[in-house]
Amino acid sequence: MNTTPKRILLISCTGQVGAELWRCLQPLGQVIPVDRSDTALRIELTDHNVIRNVVREVKPDIIVNAAAYTAVDTAEQEADTAMAINGIAPGILAEEAKAIDALLVHYSTDYVFNGKRSDKPYQEDDFCDPRSVYGATKLAGDQAIQEVNCKHLIFRTSWVYGLYGKNFLLTMQRLAQERDELRIVGDQIGAPTWSRLIADATAQTIAQVQSSLLHADMNKLSGVYNLSCGGQTTWCDFAKAIVQQSPNPPKVIPITTDEYPAPAKRPAYSVLSGDKLADTFGLRLPAWDTALAVCLSRRKPV
Ligand SMILES: NC(=O)c1ccc[n+]([C@@H]2O[C@H](COP(=O)([O-])OP(=O)(O)OC[C@H]3O[C@@H](n4cnc5c(N)ncnc54)[C@H](OP(=O)(O)O)[C@@H]3O)[C@@H](O)[C@H]2O)c1
């Protein structure tokens, strides 16, 4: 039996999901974290030669790409940069992974869907029709990986929040201290997902595909898997659930998307079905409000 530890190249250990992955990938092998402020081994996803050089130097068994251009509104003005990072870089990573027979793990978004329906959660193979530059560039990345067809797992997630980085949870907690009233969009429906659960489920899935039982089937297992918390809510009700923990919770008033104009259009409905992940790997994330309660219990109310 080969007991050499797997080499895991983790691209971005500073983002919401990347920071959690850095911790929970540890039991799976030797994690080599890289980011763009790294001095020893710097990754820059707009520079395709740098991407190739980093992979060739590290020679990983597994590449986990948690980096992305995630500024949804700014992407409308910076489409070329967003496409380089989200659309083209994943394809380069896939080519490099294929050359060394490595597994590529990557993340996609609910914003690949147009949200024009509201009757049932999106399945992985439902028609994609992004409404924003961000969504379009992320879809291009998914497609680039699938075209190269290295061994891959693409986890499609939604409304990510957590204890690190810039996100809705931390913003609402800050605003709850500053204001008596918050006006939050109440007509977009989705599922907030804690970054720690994304990282935990990623690690558990990788552990399963590394096991001798499933390893031989990696060609069949490659593909897109929705990885979101269960249930559904609106940004407004998500905000209410967050701020009710504050000492003096502000009033939270629902407004329409039209009343809060943003440069990028968002899907009105983007709930993702978790059935494929559950059927394949026996993993299902908890309901969004259960996950939020656990997350908030890790952090003192502010
Ligand atoms: N956030 C959400 O609500 C959401 C929803 C659905 C799907 N997703 C997907 O989930 C994944 C993880 O998202 P996240 O929320 O953890 O993102 P995040 O917190 O915004 O972190 C993104 C990371 O990417 C790095 N990065 C950006 N541009 C880079 C470049 N040119 N070269 C190298 N690194 C670069 C950033 O580094 P710096 O710190 O140097 O900027 C940062 O560490 C992404 O694929 C995202 O598209 C996110």
Side-chain angles (χ1 to χ4, degrees):
M1 185 175 156
N2 182 0
T3 53
T4 315
K6 300 282 179 200
R7 289 171 67 76
I8 305 170
L9 174 63
L10 172 59
I11 301 175
S12 167
C13 49
T14 53
Q16 297 192 78
V17 175
E20 298 285 3
L21 282 164
W22 196 2
R23 173 187 60 86
C24 64
L25 292 174
Q26 297 294 331
L28 298 179
Q30 182 192 359
V31 181
I32 299 123
V34 292
D35 63 44
R36 58 180 164 175
S37 60
D38 225 305
T39 44
L41 196 58
R42 191 181 72 92
I43 190 95
E44 171 49 66
L45 291 183
T46 55
D47 187 332
H48 302 147
N49 286 330
V50 169
I51 300 173
R52 290 191 193 282
N53 289 342
V54 167
V55 177
R56 288 173 195 185
E57 186 162 340
V58 174
K59 299 183 184 62
D61 302 289
I62 301 164
I63 302 170
V64 182
N65 178 30
Y69 185 110
T70 55
V72 176
D73 287 318
T74 317
E76 298 293 314
Q77 299 299 322
E78 295 189 349
D80 290 349
T81 308
M83 184 56 90
I85 297 167
N86 293 346
I88 300 171
I92 311 260
L93 285 170
E95 286 172 9
E96 292 297 317
K98 189 166 189 172
I100 54 175
D101 197 32
L103 168 66
L104 174 61
V105 179
H106 180 74
Y107 297 91
S108 178
T109 171
D110 56 330
Y111 284 10
V112 297
F113 296 115
N114 64 23
K116 287 189 181 158
R117 75 186 201 201
S118 59
D119 53 341
K120 68 180 166 86
Y122 283 101
Q123 309 277 348
E124 287 76 356
D125 54 2
D126 278 337
F127 177 65
C128 293
D129 176 26
R131 306 192 71 204
S132 61
V133 166
Y134 168 73
T137 60
K138 290 294 294 179
L139 178 60
D142 299 352
Q143 291 168 337
I145 293 170
Q146 288 170 314
E147 255 163 51
V148 173
N149 202 22
C150 59
K151 295 189 295 191
H152 66 274
L153 297 168
I154 301 172
F155 293 118
R156 187 166 281 155
T157 188
S158 63
W159 296 26
V160 179
Y161 68 90
L163 302 175
Y164 308 99
K166 278 210 311 210
N167 61 65
F168 189 81
L169 169 82
L170 300 179
T171 303
M172 290 304 117
Q173 287 186 325
R174 179 175 50 78
L175 292 178
Q177 288 183 300
E178 298 169 2
R179 300 193 190 168
D180 299 328
E181 189 180 287
L182 302 176
R183 296 165 64 78
I184 308 290
V185 171
D187 59 1
Q188 290 170 24
I189 297 170
T193 304
W194 183 15
S195 53
R196 181 165 294 183
L197 296 181
I198 297 171
D200 282 338
T202 300
Q204 292 202 31
T205 309
I206 294 174
Q208 288 193 35
V209 301
Q210 292 300 307
S211 79
S212 52
L213 197 65
L214 283 176
H215 193 64
D217 287 329
M218 200 53 228
N219 286 339
K220 272 201 240 150
L221 290 172
S222 288
V224 178
Y225 293 86
N226 292 340
L227 179 56
S228 275
C229 278
Q232 63 180 52
T233 190
T234 64
W235 290 110
C236 180
D237 286 344
F238 183 31
K240 283 182 188 164
I242 294 166
V243 303
Q244 72 180 8
Q245 304 274 331
S246 311
N248 297 306
K251 194 169 173 200
V252 183
I253 298 167
I255 58 169
T256 64
T257 299
D258 289 345
E259 287 176 280
Y260 185 76
K265 289 196 167 66
R266 271 88 169 157
Y269 174 90
S270 60
V271 180
L272 305 176
S273 163
D275 289 350
K276 182 179 172 190
L277 188 80
D279 292 346
T280 313
F281 298 108
L283 297 170
R284 190 182 286 281
L285 297 194
W288 71 270
D289 46 349
T290 304
L292 177 65
V294 179
C295 176
L296 290 175
S297 76
R298 304 284 122 191
R299 186 182 170 85
K300 275 196 168 143
V302 286

